[in-house]
């Protein structure tokens, strides 16, 4: 089981701060699974999404194993 944490506007728009999921083997599979839930998931997660696995930035092909923590958040702009 992996723990998924949602940050910033993703947390607000999805109405979900965290959840746990089974059977997810990669970041790409996780994002596809979440988008397949339909609205608002597909709209909110379409486009640029940043992910961190165990607090380290990760690419879409990053493998996941039981016990991993995945943070999902939008790109941050500053100024």
């Amino acid at each position: 089981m992996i723990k998924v944490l949602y940050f910033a506007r993703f947390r607000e728009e999805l109405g979900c701060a965290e959840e746990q999921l089974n059977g997810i083997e990669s970041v790409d599979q996780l994002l596809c699974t979440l988008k397949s839930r339909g609205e608002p998931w597909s709209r909110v997660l379409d486009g640029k999404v940043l992910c961190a696995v165990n607090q380290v930035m990760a690419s879409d092909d990053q493998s996941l194993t039981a016990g991993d923590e995945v943070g999902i958040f939008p790109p941050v702009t500053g100024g």
Side-chain angles (χ1 to χ4, degrees):
M1 185 171 295
I2 62 166
K3 183 176 184 178
V4 184
L5 305 172
Y6 302 96
F7 294 97
R9 72 174 177 84
F10 288 172
R11 177 186 300 201
E12 295 167 12
E13 292 182 36
L14 297 172
C16 183
E18 66 180 66
E19 64 180 308
Q20 295 191 12
L21 298 171
N22 282 316
I24 305 294
E25 297 178 2
S26 69
V27 169
D28 184 54
Q29 183 184 14
L30 171 62
L31 293 174
C32 287
T33 298
L34 296 173
K35 289 177 191 178
S36 73
R37 292 177 173 176
E39 286 296 324
W41 297 87
S42 58
R43 175 182 45 80
V44 170
L45 298 175
D46 191 34
K48 185 68 174 168
V49 175
L50 299 176
C51 295
V53 176
N54 301 321
Q55 300 181 5
V56 176
M57 294 306 296
S59 62
D60 287 351
D61 62 354
Q62 171 77 41
S63 296
L64 299 174
T65 58
D68 281 345
E69 179 182 88
V70 181
I72 299 177
F73 49 98
V76 178
T77 60

